[in-house]
Amino acid sequence: KAGVTQTPRYLIKTRGQQVTLSCSPISGHRSVSWYQQTPGQGLQFLFEYFSETQRNKGNFPGRFSGRQFSNSRSEMNVSTLELGDSALYLCASSLGLAGGYNEQFFGPGTRLTVL
Amino acid sequence: GENVEQHPSTLSVQEGDSAVIKCTYSDSASNYFPWYKQELGKRPQLIIDIRSNVGEKKDQRIAVTLNKTAKHFSLHITETQPEDSAVYFCAAHEKLTFGTGTRLTIIP
């Protein structure tokens, strides 16, 4: 089975711009979660989508949004980029809801740099 | 909301010795506690997990213990090897909260 894929792998944007990241889960997985990884902050949960519905949300501002399509692929959008948004963005897929004893499989991440 | 604290942030261990990483959580509703290993430049991968109705789980050199009353859980790695060098993250699920990670270095 192909693993979780994310595109693009690297992005450079300037402050004020917006960005869209994409995540393709493992075939058959219905849950996609998004995380922000920064040095010293570990993995911070953004949101989880399951069957095209947001099921769980972390403590991030409304500039961070996402959606999931009928084929379980998910996109994450960040509007009005700030310098502090520079990070590695990881998505993870699981068969069922991530909070329900389901192992999460991570993608390679998208490295976003905001200048 | 859920808060997960992880200690220590860095840990250096002589090869062959044991390593212990500890995490505490705040939400008593948390019921699933996975541990992830992230090697340099790679994605996190699940190495072991434990459910709230179990006190201990072991898989070869790795074990996890859970104390629900005290709300803490620990990762134990015995007979450490160079390939154990990585960043380890604990997590508490109900709200998908991760600890800030422990950088483990095995000294040959």
Side-chain angles (χ1 to χ4, degrees):
Chain A
K1 253 185 193 178
V4 179
T5 59
Q6 291 185 245
T7 57
R9 294 294 310 279
Y10 302 91
L11 263 179
I12 298 176
K13 292 285 187 179
T14 56
R15 276 181 301 174
Q17 286 187 310
Q18 70 138 20
V19 67
T20 299
L21 313 182
S22 181
C23 174
S24 292
I26 292 172
S27 178
H29 284 195
R30 296 171 64 191
S31 167
V32 174
S33 299
W34 288 89
Y35 297 89
Q36 181 192 67
Q37 185 173 27
T38 54
Q41 290 295 315
L43 289 157
Q44 293 189 286
F45 171 68
L46 283 152
F47 28 66
E48 178 185 17
Y49 285 86
F50 181 86
S51 295
E52 302 178 64
T53 302
Q54 188 180 93
R55 297 302 183 102
N56 218 337
K57 190 176 187 303
N59 298 321
F60 277 80
R63 300 186 296 108
F64 292 81
S65 63
R67 59 177 175 168
Q68 186 180 35
F69 302 94
S70 58
N71 61 357
S72 293
R73 190 178 70 84
S74 178
E75 287 182 347
M76 188 190 92
N77 185 75
V78 188
S79 63
T80 319
L81 284 166
E82 301 177 0
L83 294 178
D85 296 333
S86 293
L88 180 68
Y89 289 88
L90 292 161
C91 76
S93 76
S94 55
L95 273 172
L97 285 170
Y101 311 141
N102 290 292
E103 179 181 356
Q104 290 190 290
F105 294 84
F106 283 84
T110 294
R111 172 79 58 190
L112 172 64
T113 302
V114 182
L115 302 175
Chain B
E2 173 74 278
N3 183 45
V4 176
E5 293 190 3
Q6 183 172 347
H7 299 282
S9 56
T10 61
L11 179 62
S12 294
V13 173
Q14 206 72 36
E15 182 179 352
D17 287 350
S18 296
V20 180
I21 302 170
K22 299 181 180 181
C23 288
T24 59
Y25 61 99
S26 60
D27 189 350
S28 55
S30 292
N31 53 16
Y32 174 57
F33 307 90
W35 285 88
Y36 287 84
K37 175 184 180 182
Q38 186 175 28
E39 296 178 37
L40 189 62
K42 296 190 176 180
R43 66 193 76 185
Q45 288 192 303
L46 180 74
I47 54 171
I48 196 167
D49 55 14
I50 191 167
R51 300 185 184 189
S52 59
N53 59 349
V54 176
E56 184 174 358
K57 183 177 178 181
K58 191 173 180 181
D59 182 5
Q60 298 183 351
R61 298 186 296 108
I62 294 173
V64 57
T65 57
L66 171 66
N67 183 325
K68 283 180 60 182
T69 304
K71 293 183 191 170
H72 67 70
F73 56 113
S74 301
L75 177 71
H76 305 253
I77 306 174
T78 59
E79 300 171 12
T80 53
Q81 301 169 2
E83 54 265 34
D84 295 329
S85 293
V87 178
Y88 292 80
F89 293 97
C90 63
H93 279 223
E94 215 273 320
K95 288 294 184 182
L96 299 173
T97 305
F98 280 72
T100 50
T102 296
R103 181 172 301 280
L104 174 63
T105 302
I106 306 302
I107 305 166

